[in-house]
Amino acid sequence: GRPTFHHFSPLCPTLPQVFLQVQGQGTNWLIETVCLIYSKGDPKWVQSEPIWDRSPWVETKHGYELLKEKEGPRLISSHLPIQLFPKSFFKSKAKVIYLVRNPRDVFVSGYFFWKSAKFVKRPQSLEQYFEWFIQGNMPFGSWFDHIRGWMSMRDKENFLVLSYEEMKWDTRSTVEKICQFLGKKLEPEELNSVLKNNSFQVMKENNMSNFSLLKGQYLEENGLLLRKGVTGDWKNYFTVAQAEIFDKLFQEKMADLPQELFAWE
């Protein structure tokens, strides 16, 4: 059955929780970045505590149990579509950072992740995964429906939309935008330290952030959660026919949303 979180008591309305809500890979990069902002660029926290404990996933048993125990403002991660989100959030002062990414890159990144994951039905081929993706036959439903649901929040002051692409192309401005949204002030050297420690390469080498701790248990031994960290990789995998099907679907589903929300090639 579907998970329900209607009585998610730890969400006290007076505390500024921060939800990192992502539809599309880039989740862990955003979590790492926000953690580094909170520690003012000091990498000790991100190097000593696993990423899923720093910002627990509300929809997992492990994450939910951790969040119940945590006092005060917390970082909370989620992939949930809006209709399954904790109802208490909508009455609270919690802030949401919602990260979107070119769905073509989401598709490719997701394919390699699910192919190495041990806890889901795995795609047998890229073609099979393409069918699943365009039909919305995915663990958290359709990418298109997820975006449409959450974009209804886009004009609220406690909701920030970011794109993976802008984060990649201009990381400094994006970090500054996150700081402003969260009311965090960083000194220039602290900001530089955030930018140094949130780079893809540094994250990939950090065992608390690269999911190597889960190899053998949830991921295959050769599974990589942090694979390339690039934009536009979809061009290496899509056939012309797939690209056409995808473009048509995107135009149908997203026609009534402002196109500036989708800052990719």
Side-chain angles (χ1 to χ4, degrees):
R2 290 184 160 190
T4 52
F5 296 105
H6 297 254
H7 306 293
F8 190 63
S9 56
L11 283 182
C12 168
T14 58
L15 293 173
Q17 324 289 337
V18 180
F19 278 101
L20 307 175
Q21 188 21 297
V22 190
Q23 179 54 0
Q25 283 66 22
T27 318
N28 294 293
W29 190 24
L30 178 61
I31 296 169
E32 195 85 344
T33 301
V34 173
C35 288
L36 284 162
I37 289 170
Y38 270 73
S39 66
K40 293 186 174 291
D42 184 339
K44 280 205 281 291
W45 186 29
V46 302
Q47 288 168 0
S48 61
E49 189 176 358
I51 194 164
W52 53 84
D53 287 351
R54 282 181 262 133
S55 184
W57 293 83
V58 67
E59 59 263 35
T60 65
K61 189 171 188 299
H62 173 79
Y64 179 71
E65 294 301 327
L66 266 183
L67 288 166
K68 275 200 307 191
E69 302 307 316
K70 281 183 185 256
E71 295 290 324
R74 289 147 302 170
L75 299 179
I76 303 171
S77 302
S78 180
H79 273 320
L80 288 172
I82 197 165
Q83 70 273 19
L84 295 184
F85 212 61
K87 298 294 175 274
S88 49
F89 158 70
F90 299 98
K91 300 188 188 85
S92 75
K93 293 179 181 174
K95 295 186 173 187
V96 170
I97 303 175
Y98 187 88
L99 186 71
V100 298
R101 186 180 185 183
N102 185 336
R104 300 160 188 82
D105 282 336
V106 171
F107 164 78
V108 172
S109 179
Y111 170 68
F112 286 104
F113 172 68
W114 293 119
K115 209 168 70 146
S116 72
K118 290 184 161 190
F119 52 91
V120 289
K121 181 181 175 186
R122 299 188 208 184
Q124 298 303 304
S125 65
L126 201 69
E127 291 70 29
Q128 183 184 46
Y129 189 70
F130 185 81
E131 291 303 317
W132 292 358
F133 194 93
I134 61 172
Q135 290 162 12
N137 185 15
M138 306 291 294
F140 294 95
S142 156
W143 180 92
F144 302 97
D145 293 346
H146 200 289
I147 298 281
R148 293 187 65 82
W150 278 104
M151 284 306 109
S152 63
M153 295 280 296
R154 68 182 182 276
D155 295 328
K156 302 265 194 296
E157 62 180 22
N158 65 333
F159 192 80
L160 175 66
V161 183
L162 298 175
S163 78
Y164 183 92
E165 287 74 19
E166 68 178 303
M167 212 167 151
K168 191 83 192 158
W169 300 332
D170 192 350
T171 313
R172 181 177 292 268
S173 293
T174 308
V175 170
E176 287 170 344
K177 198 185 282 189
I178 295 170
C179 287
Q180 190 178 0
F181 177 67
L182 298 178
K184 299 286 176 192
K185 178 89 176 73
L186 293 184
E187 297 302 324
E189 66 275 13
E190 293 169 344
L191 176 59
N192 287 338
S193 186
V194 170
L195 296 171
K196 177 183 154 199
N197 289 292
N198 91 329
S199 75
F200 184 78
Q201 206 47 49
V202 170
M203 256 193 92
K204 196 166 182 172
E205 288 162 16
N206 177 2
N207 288 336
M208 292 295 141
S209 305
N210 64 14
F211 280 70
S212 59
L213 298 176
L214 299 184
K215 283 188 178 179
Q217 187 182 3
Y218 294 107
L219 295 175
E220 293 291 352
E221 287 297 341
N222 61 350
L224 284 177
L225 191 91
L226 303 175
R227 195 176 60 92
K228 282 191 179 178
V230 297
T231 61
D233 193 35
W234 67 271
K235 294 170 188 169
N236 298 317
Y237 295 94
F238 269 55
T239 64
V240 172
Q242 285 172 334
E244 285 174 2
I245 291 167
F246 206 98
D247 289 351
K248 186 166 178 285
L249 184 63
F250 188 90
Q251 284 158 11
E252 277 171 18
K253 293 269 195 180
M254 312 312 252
D256 57 339
L257 286 173
Q259 292 309 294
E260 63 268 19
L261 290 171
F262 311 122
W264 48 71
E265 305 153 16

Coordinates of all heavy atoms in Angstrom, one line a residue, residues 2-67:
R2 N 0.2 2.4 -0.1 CA 0.9 3.6 -0.2 C 1.3 4.1 1.2 O 0.5 3.9 2.2 CB 0.1 4.7 -0.8 CG -0.1 4.5 -2.3 CD -0.9 5.6 -2.9 NE -0.6 5.7 -4.4 CZ -1.0 6.7 -5.1 NH1 -1.6 7.7 -4.6 NH2 -0.8 6.7 -6.4
P3 N 2.5 4.7 1.4 CA 2.8 5.2 2.7 C 1.9 6.4 3.1 O 1.6 7.2 2.3 CB 4.3 5.6 2.6 CG 4.5 5.8 1.2 CD 3.5 5.0 0.4
T4 N 1.6 6.5 4.4 CA 0.9 7.7 4.8 C 1.6 8.3 6.0 O 2.1 7.6 6.8 CB -0.6 7.4 5.3 OG1 -0.5 6.3 6.2 CG2 -1.4 6.9 4.1
F5 N 1.7 9.6 6.0 CA 2.4 10.4 7.0 C 1.5 11.5 7.6 O 2.0 12.5 7.9 CB 3.7 11.0 6.5 CG 4.7 10.0 6.0 CD1 4.9 9.8 4.6 CD2 5.4 9.2 6.9 CE1 5.8 8.8 4.2 CE2 6.3 8.3 6.4 CZ 6.5 8.1 5.1
H6 N 0.2 11.2 7.7 CA -0.7 12.2 8.2 C -0.4 12.7 9.6 O -0.7 13.8 10.0 CB -2.1 11.7 8.1 CG -2.5 11.4 6.7 ND1 -3.4 12.2 6.0 CD2 -2.2 10.4 5.8 CE1 -3.5 11.7 4.7 NE2 -2.8 10.7 4.6
H7 N 0.2 11.8 10.4 CA 0.4 12.1 11.8 C 1.9 12.2 12.1 O 2.4 11.6 13.0 CB -0.3 11.1 12.7 CG -1.7 10.9 12.4 ND1 -2.6 11.9 12.6 CD2 -2.4 9.9 11.8 CE1 -3.8 11.5 12.2 NE2 -3.7 10.3 11.7
F8 N 2.6 13.0 11.2 CA 4.0 13.1 11.4 C 4.3 14.1 12.4 O 4.7 15.3 12.2 CB 4.6 13.4 10.0 CG 6.1 13.3 10.0 CD1 6.8 12.1 10.2 CD2 6.9 14.5 9.8 CE1 8.1 12.0 10.2 CE2 8.3 14.4 9.8 CZ 8.9 13.1 10.0
S9 N 4.2 13.7 13.7 CA 4.2 14.7 14.8 C 5.5 15.5 15.0 O 5.5 16.6 15.5 CB 4.0 13.9 16.1 OG 4.9 12.9 16.3
P10 N 6.7 15.0 14.6 CA 7.9 15.8 14.8 C 7.9 17.2 14.1 O 8.7 18.0 14.4 CB 9.0 14.9 14.3 CG 8.5 13.6 14.3 CD 7.1 13.7 14.0
L11 N 7.0 17.4 13.1 CA 7.0 18.6 12.3 C 6.3 19.7 13.1 O 5.2 20.1 12.9 CB 6.3 18.5 11.0 CG 7.1 17.7 10.0 CD1 6.4 17.7 8.7 CD2 8.4 18.4 9.7
C12 N 7.1 20.2 14.1 CA 6.5 21.3 14.9 C 6.4 22.6 14.1 O 7.4 23.0 13.5 CB 7.4 21.5 16.1 SG 7.1 23.0 17.0
P13 N 5.3 23.2 14.0 CA 5.1 24.4 13.1 C 6.0 25.6 13.5 O 6.2 26.4 12.7 CB 3.6 24.8 13.4 CG 3.0 23.6 13.9 CD 4.0 22.8 14.7
T14 N 6.5 25.6 14.7 CA 7.3 26.8 15.1 C 8.8 26.6 14.7 O 9.6 27.5 14.8 CB 7.3 27.0 16.6 OG1 7.8 25.8 17.2 CG2 5.9 27.3 17.1
L15 N 9.2 25.4 14.2 CA 10.6 25.2 13.9 C 10.8 25.2 12.3 O 10.1 24.6 11.6 CB 11.1 23.9 14.4 CG 11.1 23.8 15.9 CD1 11.4 22.4 16.3 CD2 12.2 24.7 16.5
P16 N 11.8 25.9 11.9 CA 12.1 26.0 10.4 C 12.8 24.7 9.9 O 14.0 24.7 9.7 CB 13.0 27.2 10.3 CG 13.7 27.3 11.6 CD 12.8 26.8 12.6
Q17 N 12.0 23.6 9.8 CA 12.6 22.4 9.2 C 13.0 22.8 7.7 O 12.4 23.7 7.1 CB 11.6 21.3 9.1 CG 10.6 21.2 10.3 CD 11.3 20.7 11.5 OE1 12.4 20.1 11.4 NE2 10.8 21.0 12.6
V18 N 13.9 22.1 7.2 CA 14.3 22.3 5.8 C 14.1 20.9 5.0 O 14.8 20.0 5.3 CB 15.7 22.8 5.6 CG1 16.0 23.0 4.1 CG2 15.9 24.1 6.3
F19 N 13.2 20.9 4.1 CA 13.0 19.7 3.3 C 13.7 19.8 2.0 O 13.6 20.9 1.3 CB 11.5 19.5 2.9 CG 10.6 18.9 4.0 CD1 9.8 19.7 4.8 CD2 10.6 17.5 4.1 CE1 9.1 19.1 5.8 CE2 9.9 16.9 5.1 CZ 9.1 17.7 5.9
L20 N 14.5 18.8 1.7 CA 15.2 18.8 0.4 C 14.4 17.9 -0.5 O 14.5 16.7 -0.4 CB 16.7 18.4 0.6 CG 17.4 19.2 1.7 CD1 18.8 18.6 1.9 CD2 17.5 20.6 1.3
Q21 N 13.6 18.4 -1.4 CA 12.7 17.6 -2.1 C 13.2 17.6 -3.6 O 13.3 18.6 -4.2 CB 11.3 18.3 -2.0 CG 10.1 17.7 -2.5 CD 10.0 16.3 -2.7 OE1 10.7 15.7 -3.5 NE2 9.1 15.6 -2.0
V22 N 13.5 16.4 -4.1 CA 14.1 16.3 -5.4 C 13.4 15.3 -6.3 O 13.0 14.2 -5.8 CB 15.6 15.8 -5.2 CG1 16.3 15.9 -6.5 CG2 16.3 16.6 -4.1
Q23 N 13.1 15.7 -7.5 CA 12.6 14.8 -8.5 C 13.7 14.8 -9.6 O 13.7 15.6 -10.5 CB 11.3 15.2 -9.0 CG 10.7 14.2 -10.1 CD 10.7 12.8 -9.6 OE1 11.0 12.5 -8.5 NE2 10.2 11.9 -10.5
G24 N 14.6 13.8 -9.5 CA 15.7 13.8 -10.4 C 17.0 13.7 -9.7 O 17.1 14.3 -8.6
Q25 N 17.9 12.9 -10.2 CA 19.2 12.7 -9.5 C 19.9 14.1 -9.3 O 19.8 14.9 -10.2 CB 20.0 11.7 -10.2 CG 19.6 10.3 -10.0 CD 18.2 9.9 -10.6 OE1 17.8 10.6 -11.5 NE2 17.6 8.9 -10.1
G26 N 20.6 14.2 -8.3 CA 21.2 15.5 -7.9 C 20.9 15.7 -6.4 O 21.4 16.6 -5.7
T27 N 20.0 14.8 -5.9 CA 19.6 14.8 -4.5 C 20.8 14.9 -3.5 O 20.9 15.8 -2.7 CB 19.0 13.4 -4.1 OG1 18.1 13.0 -5.1 CG2 18.3 13.5 -2.8
N28 N 21.8 14.0 -3.7 CA 22.9 14.0 -2.7 C 23.8 15.2 -2.8 O 24.3 15.6 -1.8 CB 23.6 12.6 -2.8 CG 22.7 11.5 -2.5 OD1 22.3 11.3 -1.3 ND2 22.3 10.7 -3.4
W29 N 23.9 15.7 -4.0 CA 24.7 16.9 -4.1 C 24.0 18.1 -3.4 O 24.7 18.9 -2.8 CB 24.9 17.2 -5.6 CG 25.8 18.3 -5.9 CD1 26.9 18.7 -5.2 CD2 25.9 19.1 -7.1 NE1 27.6 19.7 -5.8 CE2 27.0 20.0 -7.0 CE3 25.1 19.2 -8.2 CZ2 27.3 20.9 -7.9 CZ3 25.4 20.1 -9.2 CH2 26.5 21.0 -9.1
L30 N 22.7 18.2 -3.5 CA 22.0 19.2 -2.8 C 22.1 19.0 -1.3 O 22.4 20.0 -0.6 CB 20.5 19.2 -3.2 CG 19.6 20.3 -2.5 CD1 20.1 21.7 -2.8 CD2 18.2 20.1 -3.0
I31 N 22.0 17.8 -0.8 CA 22.1 17.5 0.6 C 23.5 17.9 1.1 O 23.6 18.6 2.1 CB 21.8 16.0 0.9 CG1 20.4 15.6 0.6 CG2 22.1 15.8 2.4 CD1 20.2 14.1 0.6
E32 N 24.5 17.5 0.4 CA 25.9 17.8 0.8 C 26.1 19.3 0.9 O 26.7 19.9 1.8 CB 26.8 17.2 -0.3 CG 28.3 17.1 0.2 CD 28.6 15.9 1.0 OE1 27.6 15.2 1.5 OE2 29.8 15.6 1.2
T33 N 25.5 20.0 -0.1 CA 25.7 21.5 -0.2 C 25.0 22.2 1.0 O 25.6 23.0 1.7 CB 25.1 22.0 -1.5 OG1 25.8 21.4 -2.6 CG2 25.2 23.5 -1.6
V34 N 23.8 21.7 1.3 CA 23.1 22.4 2.4 C 23.8 22.0 3.7 O 23.9 22.9 4.6 CB 21.6 21.9 2.4 CG1 20.9 22.4 3.7 CG2 20.9 22.5 1.2
C35 N 24.3 20.8 3.9 CA 25.0 20.4 5.1 C 26.2 21.3 5.3 O 26.5 21.8 6.4 CB 25.5 19.0 5.0 SG 24.1 17.8 5.3
L36 N 26.9 21.6 4.2 CA 28.1 22.4 4.2 C 27.8 23.9 4.5 O 28.5 24.6 5.2 CB 28.9 22.3 2.9 CG 29.7 21.0 2.8 CD1 30.1 20.8 1.3 CD2 31.0 21.0 3.6
I37 N 26.6 24.3 4.0 CA 26.2 25.7 4.4 C 25.9 25.8 5.9 O 26.3 26.7 6.6 CB 24.9 26.1 3.6 CG1 25.3 26.3 2.1 CG2 24.2 27.3 4.2 CD1 24.1 26.4 1.2
Y38 N 25.3 24.8 6.4 CA 25.0 24.7 7.9 C 26.2 24.7 8.7 O 26.3 25.2 9.8 CB 24.1 23.6 8.2 CG 22.6 23.9 8.1 CD1 22.0 24.1 6.9 CD2 21.8 24.1 9.3 CE1 20.7 24.5 6.8 CE2 20.5 24.5 9.2 CZ 19.9 24.7 8.0 OH 18.6 25.1 7.9
S39 N 27.3 24.0 8.2 CA 28.5 23.9 9.0 C 29.5 25.0 8.6 O 30.7 25.0 8.9 CB 29.2 22.6 8.8 OG 29.6 22.4 7.5
K40 N 29.0 26.0 7.8 CA 29.8 27.2 7.4 C 31.1 26.8 6.6 O 32.2 27.3 6.8 CB 30.2 28.1 8.6 CG 29.0 28.8 9.2 CD 29.4 29.8 10.2 CE 28.2 30.6 10.7 NZ 27.6 31.5 9.8
G41 N 31.0 25.7 5.8 CA 32.1 25.3 5.0 C 33.0 24.3 5.7 O 33.9 23.8 5.0
D42 N 32.8 24.1 7.0 CA 33.7 23.1 7.7 C 33.3 21.7 7.3 O 32.2 21.3 7.5 CB 33.5 23.3 9.2 CG 34.5 22.4 10.0 OD1 35.0 21.4 9.4 OD2 34.7 22.7 11.2
P43 N 34.2 20.9 6.7 CA 33.8 19.6 6.1 C 33.7 18.5 7.2 O 33.4 17.4 6.9 CB 35.0 19.3 5.1 CG 36.2 20.0 5.7 CD 35.6 21.3 6.4
K44 N 34.0 18.8 8.5 CA 34.1 17.7 9.5 C 32.7 16.9 9.6 O 32.8 15.7 9.7 CB 34.4 18.3 10.9 CG 35.9 18.6 11.1 CD 36.3 18.6 12.5 CE 35.9 19.9 13.2 NZ 36.7 21.1 12.8
W45 N 31.6 17.7 9.5 CA 30.3 17.0 9.6 C 30.1 16.0 8.4 O 29.7 14.9 8.6 CB 29.2 18.0 9.7 CG 27.8 17.4 10.0 CD1 27.5 16.3 10.7 CD2 26.6 18.0 9.6 NE1 26.2 16.0 10.7 CE2 25.5 17.1 10.1 CE3 26.2 19.1 8.9 CZ2 24.2 17.3 9.8 CZ3 24.8 19.3 8.7 CH2 23.8 18.4 9.2
V46 N 30.3 16.5 7.2 CA 30.0 15.7 6.0 C 31.0 14.5 5.9 O 30.8 13.6 5.2 CB 30.0 16.5 4.7 CG1 29.0 17.6 4.8 CG2 31.4 17.1 4.4
Q47 N 32.2 14.7 6.6 CA 33.2 13.6 6.5 C 33.0 12.5 7.7 O 33.7 11.5 7.7 CB 34.6 14.2 6.6 CG 35.0 14.9 5.3 CD 36.2 15.7 5.5 OE1 36.8 15.8 6.6 NE2 36.6 16.4 4.4
S48 N 32.1 12.8 8.6 CA 32.0 12.0 9.8 C 30.7 11.3 10.0 O 30.6 10.3 10.7 CB 32.4 12.7 11.1 OG 31.5 13.8 11.2
E49 N 29.6 11.8 9.3 CA 28.3 11.2 9.5 C 27.7 10.8 8.1 O 27.8 11.7 7.2 CB 27.4 12.2 10.2 CG 26.1 11.5 10.6 CD 25.2 12.5 11.4 OE1 25.6 13.6 11.7 OE2 24.0 12.1 11.7
P50 N 27.2 9.6 7.9 CA 26.6 9.3 6.6 C 25.5 10.3 6.2 O 24.8 10.8 7.0 CB 26.0 7.9 6.8 CG 26.7 7.3 8.0 CD 27.0 8.5 8.9
I51 N 25.5 10.5 4.9 CA 24.6 11.5 4.3 C 23.1 11.2 4.6 O 22.3 12.1 4.9 CB 24.8 11.6 2.8 CG1 24.2 12.9 2.2 CG2 24.4 10.3 2.0 CD1 24.7 13.2 0.8
W52 N 22.7 9.9 4.7 CA 21.3 9.6 5.0 C 21.0 9.8 6.5 O 19.8 9.7 6.9 CB 21.0 8.2 4.6 CG 21.9 7.1 5.1 CD1 21.9 6.5 6.3 CD2 23.1 6.6 4.5 NE1 22.9 5.6 6.5 CE2 23.7 5.7 5.3 CE3 23.7 6.8 3.2 CZ2 24.9 5.0 5.0 CZ3 24.9 6.1 2.9 CH2 25.4 5.2 3.8
D53 N 22.0 10.0 7.3 CA 21.7 10.4 8.7 C 21.7 11.9 9.0 O 21.0 12.4 9.8 CB 22.7 9.7 9.7 CG 22.5 8.2 9.8 OD1 21.5 7.7 9.3 OD2 23.4 7.5 10.4
R54 N 22.5 12.6 8.1 CA 22.5 14.0 8.2 C 21.2 14.6 7.8 O 20.7 15.6 8.4 CB 23.6 14.6 7.4 CG 25.0 14.5 8.0 CD 26.0 15.1 7.1 NE 26.7 14.1 6.3 CZ 27.0 14.2 5.0 NH1 26.5 15.3 4.3 NH2 27.6 13.3 4.3
S55 N 20.6 14.1 6.7 CA 19.3 14.6 6.2 C 18.5 13.3 5.9 O 18.4 12.9 4.7 CB 19.5 15.4 5.0 OG 18.3 16.0 4.5
P56 N 17.8 12.7 6.9 CA 17.2 11.5 6.7 C 16.0 11.5 5.7 O 15.3 12.6 5.6 CB 16.7 11.1 8.1 CG 17.5 12.0 9.0 CD 17.8 13.2 8.3
W57 N 15.8 10.4 5.1 CA 14.6 10.3 4.1 C 13.4 10.0 4.9 O 13.2 9.0 5.5 CB 14.9 9.2 3.1 CG 16.1 9.5 2.3 CD1 17.4 9.4 2.6 CD2 16.0 10.2 1.0 NE1 18.2 9.9 1.6 CE2 17.4 10.4 0.6 CE3 15.0 10.6 0.2 CZ2 17.7 11.0 -0.6 CZ3 15.3 11.2 -1.0 CH2 16.7 11.4 -1.4
V58 N 12.4 10.9 4.8 CA 11.2 10.8 5.6 C 10.4 9.5 5.2 O 9.7 9.0 6.0 CB 10.3 12.1 5.4 CG1 9.8 12.2 4.0 CG2 9.2 12.1 6.4
E59 N 10.5 9.1 4.0 CA 9.7 7.9 3.5 C 10.3 6.6 3.8 O 9.7 5.5 3.5 CB 9.3 8.0 2.0 CG 10.5 8.1 1.1 CD 10.9 9.5 0.7 OE1 10.7 10.4 1.6 OE2 11.3 9.7 -0.4
T60 N 11.5 6.6 4.4 CA 12.1 5.3 4.8 C 11.9 5.0 6.3 O 11.8 6.0 7.1 CB 13.6 5.2 4.5 OG1 14.3 6.2 5.3 CG2 13.9 5.6 3.0
K61 N 11.9 3.8 6.7 CA 11.7 3.4 8.1 C 12.9 4.0 8.9 O 12.7 4.6 10.0 CB 11.6 1.9 8.2 CG 11.3 1.4 9.6 CD 11.0 -0.1 9.6 CE 10.4 -0.5 10.9 NZ 11.3 -0.3 12.1
H62 N 14.1 3.8 8.4 CA 15.3 4.3 9.1 C 15.2 5.8 9.3 O 15.5 6.3 10.4 CB 16.5 3.9 8.3 CG 17.8 4.5 8.8 ND1 18.5 4.0 9.9 CD2 18.6 5.6 8.4 CE1 19.6 4.7 10.1 NE2 19.6 5.7 9.2
G63 N 14.9 6.5 8.2 CA 14.8 8.0 8.2 C 13.7 8.5 9.2 O 14.0 9.4 10.0
Y64 N 12.6 7.8 9.1 CA 11.5 8.3 9.9 C 11.8 8.1 11.4 O 11.5 9.0 12.2 CB 10.2 7.4 9.6 CG 9.0 7.8 10.4 CD1 8.3 9.0 10.3 CD2 8.5 6.9 11.4 CE1 7.2 9.3 11.0 CE2 7.4 7.2 12.2 CZ 6.8 8.4 12.0 OH 5.7 8.7 12.7
E65 N 12.4 7.0 11.8 CA 12.8 6.7 13.2 C 13.8 7.8 13.6 O 13.7 8.3 14.8 CB 13.4 5.3 13.3 CG 12.4 4.2 13.1 CD 11.1 4.2 14.0 OE1 11.3 4.7 15.2 OE2 10.0 3.9 13.6
L66 N 14.8 8.1 12.8 CA 15.8 9.1 13.1 C 15.1 10.5 13.3 O 15.5 11.2 14.3 CB 16.8 9.2 12.0 CG 18.1 8.4 12.1 CD1 19.0 8.7 10.9 CD2 18.8 8.7 13.4
L67 N 14.2 10.8 12.4 CA 13.6 12.1 12.5 C 12.8 12.3 13.8 O 12.7 13.4 14.3 CB 12.8 12.4 11.2 CG 13.6 12.6 10.0 CD1 12.7 12.5 8.7 CD2 14.3 14.0 10.0

